[in-house]
Amino acid sequence: MRAVRFVAVGRPAEIVDVPKPSPGPGEVLIRVAGAGVCHSDLHVLDHGIGIEGPFTLGHENAGWIEEIGQGVTGWREGQAVAVYGPWGCGSCHSCQTSAENYCERHASIPTYGGGLGSDGGMAEYMIVPSARLLVALGDLDPVTTAPLSDAALTPYHAIKTALPLLTPDASVLVLGVGGLGHMAVQILRALTPARLIAGDIDPGKLAHARSLGAAHIVDTAAATAREEIRDIVGERGVTVALDFVGVQATIDLCTRTVGRNSRVTVVGMGGGTVHYDAGRPPYGTQVTVPYWGSRSELMEVIALAQAGRIKATVETFGLEQANAVYQRLRDGKIEGRAVLVP
Ligand SMILES: [Zn+2]
Ligand SMILES: [Zn+2]
């Protein structure tokens, strides 16, 4: 079968033939419907994640159960499923609560998940090491819902923990309206009455945010961006700032527009630093660095999609186009999420 492989740091992905895997005891073989193309893949290719290649990329995956390994019960072949992405030990306290994204034994596990150390979903088939990592999709199309397992789950987790602050008189700022950001806008619209401001440097992505329900859009490339946001939110400042870019300019924009007793959440891995100086960010500000989300939160995300409240904007490509798609992602030329379809 064809697969898009990480080979070594600094090398482009290789599209090669690998043997079709077969599931061992406890494992499940998935016929991949789609694999989302994520900025984290670029991080893997450019900087590595401390795990030697080669392995198949693709960590936001959905498909159909092709074959069930010995001892797996409760699932049937042909069932449409999302693959929960962060694979923990399955038995520590965090994993027992379904928050494998915060597995306490992650340092002793030689992988972060499929596509992140283990073989992922940019292939015709992938092995999922345990049925506990599957979430049923029901009638949802696995191609267009593949991005839900990261591009929607990650912002959902970040937003859910901030919900007590997102009251009708609060303001929430979303920076970066790419794969995660365009889902964040929809999740905020579905879950909170807070005033929603979206910022990006790309006019097309700002228009996209507007079409998805952002009340205000701000061109963050403009020198006046901070003043524009201040004018919208008034003296109280931004209540929750969600940074899906994470470069210095976006982190600084968050810390300089939030008010007292607010929250700055950095999700993007752009390499920026949160600086602290007395009173900036303002007193009472919580700074959070969430990672991905729990399996039960993925179930909630899928329920939102089933209810028609969120929908990934998806453009599909073949596996052979992987490197061209990565280049488009680097150039900021993907609206919503690119999905590779084997
Ligand atoms: Zn990702
Ligand atoms: Zn664990």
Side-chain angles (χ1 to χ4, degrees), residues 134-262:
L134 301 177
V135 177
L137 282 175
D139 293 335
L140 289 174
D141 169 19
V143 173
T144 53
T145 51
L148 295 182
S149 60
D150 177 14
L153 175 57
T154 300
Y156 182 84
H157 172 58
I159 291 162
K160 190 179 173 187
T161 48
L163 282 179
L165 289 173
L166 291 170
T167 50
D169 52 352
S171 302
V172 55
L173 175 66
V174 172
L175 292 184
V177 191
L180 275 66
H182 94 286
M183 296 310 303
V185 167
Q186 297 176 64
I187 293 163
L188 285 162
R189 286 282 301 182
L191 298 186
T192 89
R195 181 191 290 119
L196 175 45
I197 307 156
D200 202 292
I201 58 174
D202 181 285
K205 289 182 177 165
L206 288 174
H208 192 205
R210 176 79 90 184
S211 73
L212 295 172
H216 304 272
I217 53 173
V218 173
D219 173 5
T220 50
T224 53
R226 201 182 348 158
E227 285 67 38
E228 276 181 61
I229 294 168
R230 285 255 177 82
D231 286 346
I232 295 165
V233 299
E235 63 180 3
R236 192 175 165 202
V238 170
T239 321
V240 174
L242 299 161
D243 187 350
F244 293 104
V245 185
V247 298
Q248 200 57 51
T250 53
I251 289 176
D252 290 344
L253 190 58
C254 289
T255 58
R256 288 173 191 186
T257 54
V258 292
R260 286 188 165 190
N261 206 20
S262 62

Side-chain angles (χ1 to χ4, degrees), residues 38-41 59-60 116 150-151 154 180 292 337:
C38 179
H39 265 280
S40 303
D41 294 334
H59 58 268
E60 353 182 301
L116 297 168
D150 177 14
T154 300
L180 275 66
W292 224 322
R337 201 53 139 184

